[in-house]
Amino acid sequence: MKPNILKLGYLLLGLFVALVIYLSYLQVIRGPALAANPYNRRLQEYESGIKRGTIYDTRGTVLAGTGFFRGEGRRVYPAGPAAAHLVGYISGRYGRTGIESAYDRHLLGMEGIDRVRNLVNRLLGRDRAGGHLVLTVDAVLQKLAADLLGGRRGAVVMLDTGSGAVRVMASSPGFDPNYVDQTWSRLVQDPNSPLINRATQGAYPPGSTIKVVVAAGALGANPGLEREIFNCRGSLVVDGYRLTDSAAHGNIDLRKALAVSCNTVFARLGLDLKPDGFHRVIESFGLKQDPGVGIPVRPGTMVSPAAMTPAELAASAIGQGEMLVTPLHMALVAAGIANRGVIRHPFVVEKFKDSQGQTVRQAVYRPWLTAATPEIAGVLRESMVDAVQYGTAGAAGIPEMQVAGKTGSAQNPHGQTHAWFIGFAPAERPRLAVAVVLENAGSGGAVAAPIAGKLLSAAVNRGY
Amino acid sequence: MYSGNCRRKAGPGVAPLTGADRLPERKLLFWAGIYAAAGMLALYPAMPFKTGFTAVIAGLVTTIAFFLVNLYWSYCGYRGDLFLLPITAVLSTTGLVFLFRLEPAYGIRQFVWLLAGLAVLVLVSRLMIDFRFLSDYKYIYALAGIVALLLPIFFGKEQGGAKSWLDFGLFQLQPAEFVKILVVLFLAGFLTENKAVLTAGTRSIGWLTLPGLREWGPLAAMWGVSLLLLIFQRDLGTALIYFSTFLAMVYTATNRIFYVFTGLGLFVAGAAACFHFFGHVRTRVEIWLNPWPYIETSGYQVLQSLFAIGSGGLTGAGLGGGYPGFLPAVHTDLIFSAICEEMGLLGGTGVIILFMIFVYRGIKIALSSRDEFAALAASGFSALLGLQAFIIIAGVTKLLPLTGITLPFVSYGGSSLVANFILLGLLLNISHEAREFHET
């Protein structure tokens, strides 16, 4: 009988071991999904018992704060629609977006010292609070950008070229994050999709703004190109497809070709780069990556090198191919040229503060990509100054200082061209880079460039 | 049966035995006491002063009561296993801490039941030290057990879907909890007596040799009782415990896996018939297979349990940090889910390991016992307690269908607690005798 007892013992212990294994699977592997299940009311309950942290702009203006009305916590967004896409919203029914979603755990005091503090507070039956965030954006500029976009479909991104800090990230049309629950059905049905953050999720053909990238690639492959003279006859036929220009520019050098945005020259340069060379320079400017700004960014997309026909390559080199990028990507291109070829890592959160207001973590300025050599960046900068001084981007000019820029008017199947402008200022010692896009609004020089100029002017006057 | 002098076993002329002063047990109880104090003190600050104070006092008094049991046994020279009492102390104080955290009123009642349980434990260790007499009257209390089980069907009070309580006004009694012990004793006695016949068989049908009606009749009756419980009291959990313990003991006694398979087959056949004829059994199985379509109704409980366990993660939300309010029947059936939510995987595994050690000690006692009755009884008690813990933990994790049974020593419930202390006492008595047998 003893062997049987032993077997019984093994069986019982085996059952418990199976339980431990299954419990581990349940708590560690399936745990996060179970904790986040919409039927699981724990997170909501946790939130209702905690004072969510405040989100400030770089000058201390409140962008999102929690107030108590009739004993119930309520999230208030004083900036309203102007910063709605970046800051995001929280809704019990419709989830959360933007900074509110990306830094949820910090704002709820579930990380670091606040986690310990809230554990103690709970044990002592005291109020719990979450950590605060100080963003890099400026609420006044943010509001100005939203006003300049004026409800039209489009986006504006402004970066500090030296640090990578995002000063403006605006998307239009906007929505009021204070009333997401009440206006939800209207917002999701609106054909203009106001809930989308066009600055980070909008996918646009870059139009002529991509020419600065192609120029960087061409100069990198052949530095002698700077002194070469091209002949523009006003059109180019590639594989039976005809690319036309606004005018026959005649004999021009690269600098002038960029300033007047000559399609023929850049289609030619793109074809010379070959699909692989073209991809390399697109990648060196980070266009196919999520730069990790703090909220999710749609990586740029394009036809793979193997599948790229000469016609597609020529079209892509003037920003009219299948390539799609976000305004943030193009702002980073401008910032890289402004910063002598080095793109700084972009970020939107300047400081993480704990619930007591002590800074627990600070943004680290670091380079992200080396897109071009300082010499090449210098050539591009001068061309972009020319574009503003006598080329297509004249409307971006402001009295305070010299602006450098490049326009784009991207054709698309939905009507008028998308108006693009990318640029930076002051041209001699750049501090700010900007990208503006307006969907189906006309030419970049006429529609997008003036917005960039006004915004740069306002930013400089505010001391950025 | 009753020994006038509790110290007679260590009387003059008998050399003091190692471990008779029960120092290791006392040391372990000291740590169990620290554990209980830590739990109660963690609850204290967030509670209203009066309940917090009560919780701390309850923890303190419970710890002292466990020490008193140890000191009394030490004085008597009682040589029962040294590890079972500390394990029980940790399990029952875990339950006590969680009950105070969930609902202080239940905590206070459980505290009283815990003291009653310890008193019963001392009585069992004293009055039933010569437990062998229990095998003599097996048919009488088999009958008593059946009557006790059937009473609630006619006079019982329905609670949480199961009709298994007898209402005595001042308190309610769940006869099934006590009958479990009678079942193990009955089977141990019956199987010892009929082991040879059951193993060899008296008549053959082809290659199969089977015992006569007189031998397998009582076993068939057990099967019938299990099914009756299932049908009339809607108590799937208790039926499962009875039946699996029964199979474990039959196998241990006869070494015939044939009985196990036949038994399992019959149980499955019975369960399948119930599935077919009884709506509530069918619902249970459907919920078990896929609870999501029933999330608002019958699947609510098991999904809330999964949410709680899943939200606990590795280290848990911390004592008081979870939301046990979402868990129906949290103080009884789902207490393990609340432990997992607040103590995490580490805490949940800790509780499981305590049950493993309990079973391990029980099997060790069975292996070292003096005769077959003691060995069978010890393995039956170990299987009973282990299987009960397994079935409810597997139920709340949806490994098995969720049933309404208690987690031994942890869940709220006077009947369950006292019955488990009786079980502990009998197991200790068997080990007391075994050690005397081996060491003198």
Side-chain angles (χ1 to χ4, degrees), chain A residues 39-78:
Chain A
Y39 284 100
N40 188 346
R41 287 166 293 166
R42 282 175 175 73
L43 193 62
Q44 266 167 274
E45 197 70 13
Y46 180 83
E47 281 192 41
S48 69
I50 198 162
K51 191 171 186 294
R52 194 179 173 91
T54 308
I55 302 175
Y56 300 97
D57 87 336
T58 186
R59 300 256 161 113
T61 308
V62 174
L63 295 176
T66 294
F68 280 88
F69 299 97
R70 287 180 239 112
E72 208 171 299
R74 189 180 145 77
R75 198 71 168 159
V76 182
Y77 303 93

Side-chain angles (χ1 to χ4, degrees), chain A residues 13 16 20, chain B residues 28 32 35 83-95 336 339 346-362 385-386 389 393 407-410:
Chain A
L13 295 185
F16 283 121
V20 171
Chain B
L28 290 171
Y35 170 79
F83 295 94
L84 286 174
L85 191 68
I87 292 166
T88 308
V90 176
L91 283 173
S92 49
T93 49
T94 302
F336 186 76
I339 293 174
L346 297 178
T349 307
V351 170
I352 295 175
I353 288 174
L354 287 171
F355 281 109
M356 283 173 92
I357 303 173
F358 195 105
V359 169
Y360 168 74
R361 295 308 299 179
L385 191 112
I393 294 176
L407 184 62
F409 296 116
V410 183

Side-chain angles (χ1 to χ4, degrees), chain A residues 210 213-218 221 269-289 300-310 312-314 316-317 321-325 369-371:
Chain A
I210 201 68
V213 175
V214 175
L269 291 174
L271 288 169
D272 290 348
L273 276 173
K274 306 270 181 333
D276 286 333
F278 181 68
H279 266 261
R280 249 196 317 277
V281 69
I282 293 295
E283 272 167 9
S284 72
F285 276 88
L287 291 176
K288 288 172 77 179
Q289 292 181 45
T301 50
M302 60 190 292
V303 177
S304 72
M308 201 170 235
T309 62
E312 171 64 26
L313 179 55
S316 290
E322 306 267 315
M323 192 201 306
L324 297 172
V325 294
L369 293 168
T370 301

Side-chain angles (χ1 to χ4, degrees), chain B residues 237 240-241 244 386-396 400-401 403 405:
Chain B
L240 212 57
I241 296 168
S244 47
L387 287 168
Q388 178 161 353
F390 173 77
I391 288 169
I392 185 60
I393 294 176
V396 299
L400 287 179
T403 56
I405 55 175

Side-chain angles (χ1 to χ4, degrees), chain A residues 136-149:
Chain A
T136 55
V137 296
D138 181 291
V140 173
L141 295 178
Q142 193 75 32
K143 175 83 169 58
L144 177 65
D147 289 346
L148 289 170
L149 287 168

Side-chain angles (χ1 to χ4, degrees), chain B residues 181-196:
Chain B
I181 295 165
L182 293 183
V183 166
V184 171
L185 287 172
F186 164 74
L187 281 173
F190 178 82
L191 290 168
T192 313
E193 208 170 273
N194 299 290
K195 188 184 150 201

Side-chain angles (χ1 to χ4, degrees), chain B residues 87-371:
Chain B
I87 292 166
T88 308
V90 176
L91 283 173
S92 49
T93 49
T94 302
L96 200 60
V97 167
F98 267 88
L99 286 169
F100 268 106
R101 181 255 176 277
L102 299 170
E103 181 57 67
Y106 283 123
I108 293 165
R109 294 180 68 135
Q110 180 84 341
F111 166 60
V112 174
W113 280 116
L114 200 48
L115 294 186
L118 283 171
V120 169
L121 175 66
V122 168
L123 284 178
V124 169
S125 73
R126 188 153 153 72
L127 300 181
M128 297 189 184
I129 196 148
D130 299 317
F131 60 90
R132 220 163 290 283
F133 77 94
L134 291 168
S135 75
D136 297 341
Y137 311 103
K138 54 184 172 296
Y139 291 105
I140 293 174
Y141 51 65
L143 200 68
I146 290 172
V147 170
L149 272 186
L150 295 182
L151 276 178
I153 297 178
F154 304 105
F155 307 105
K157 193 181 159 195
E158 186 165 324
Q159 223 169 296
K163 204 175 176 189
S164 49
W165 271 269
L166 282 180
D167 199 344
F168 287 98
L170 187 63
F171 63 99
Q172 294 167 1
L173 197 74
Q174 212 178 356
E177 291 288 349
F178 296 96
V179 176
K180 291 191 300 202
I181 295 165
L182 293 183
V183 166
V184 171
L185 287 172
F186 164 74
L187 281 173
F190 178 82
L191 290 168
T192 313
E193 208 170 273
N194 299 290
K195 188 184 150 201
V197 186
L198 284 166
T199 310
T202 48
R203 57 203 70 181
S204 30
I205 307 160
W207 56 271
L208 209 61
T209 50
L210 289 175
L213 178 70
R214 211 183 81 80
E215 285 77 27
W216 61 259
L219 300 186
M222 272 291 311
W223 174 75
V225 168
S226 298
L227 278 187
L228 280 180
L229 278 176
L230 186 64
I231 296 164
F232 290 108
Q233 299 189 352
R234 308 183 160 195
D235 199 344
L236 180 67
T238 310
L240 212 57
I241 296 168
Y242 275 39
F243 205 69
S244 47
T245 307
F246 164 65
L247 288 182
M249 288 182 73
V250 170
Y251 171 73
T252 308
T254 63
N255 193 26
R256 287 191 61 173
I257 203 81
F258 168 74
Y259 288 135
V260 176
F261 283 124
T262 313
L264 277 179
L266 285 173
F267 189 77
V268 169
C274 289
F275 178 81
H276 200 74
F277 293 114
F278 300 99
H280 69 274
V281 178
R282 190 158 44 232
T283 324
R284 287 235 163 176
V285 174
E286 277 165 3
I287 296 163
W288 174 51
L289 293 175
N290 183 13
W292 296 100
Y294 313 102
I295 188 158
E296 307 281 3
T297 55
S298 45
Y300 184 79
Q301 192 181 21
V302 73
L303 284 176
Q304 288 302 326
S305 168
L306 289 181
F307 287 155
I309 294 169
S311 304
L314 187 66
T315 53
L319 192 59
Y323 297 94
F326 297 146
L327 294 169
V330 63
H331 54 282
T332 54
D333 309 355
L334 293 197
I335 197 160
F336 186 76
S337 314
I339 293 174
C340 284
E341 181 181 359
E342 302 204 333
M343 300 280 100
L345 176 63
L346 297 178
T349 307
V351 170
I352 295 175
I353 288 174
L354 287 171
F355 281 109
M356 283 173 92
I357 303 173
F358 195 105
V359 169
Y360 168 74
R361 295 308 299 179
I363 294 293
K364 231 175 136 66
I365 290 168
L367 286 172
S368 63
S369 58
R370 206 152 142 183
D371 62 14

